[in-house]
Amino acid sequence: MRVCQMLSSLLRNIVLFRFDERTGEVFILTADNIQVIVRRDGNWEFFNET
């Protein structure tokens, strides 16, 4: 939830918030194509498939 707050404080619209029950990870996508993965342990990182 802190990551969502950080993104919205930076005036980024959150387009997708997805929780993967299998891995326990959360994927967040903003309108500016910023992608963030929040791991089960609470650590997070920017995600880039390329």
Side-chain angles (χ1 to χ4, degrees), residues 4-50:
C4 287
Q5 176 62 42
M6 177 191 69
L7 290 169
S8 65
S9 292
L10 295 172
L11 303 177
R12 303 294 188 246
N13 290 329
I14 296 173
V15 179
L16 178 69
F17 182 92
R18 178 79 172 124
F19 175 68
D20 185 334
E21 292 182 26
R22 186 179 53 83
T23 63
E25 296 178 339
V26 173
F27 176 80
I28 303 168
L29 174 66
T30 70
D32 299 332
N33 203 31
I34 296 172
Q35 302 173 30
V36 179
I37 295 282
V38 182
R39 308 253 181 249
R40 182 183 298 250
D41 63 5
N43 291 319
W44 62 272
E45 62 184 294
F46 292 103
F47 180 76
N48 186 353
E49 290 184 341
T50 57

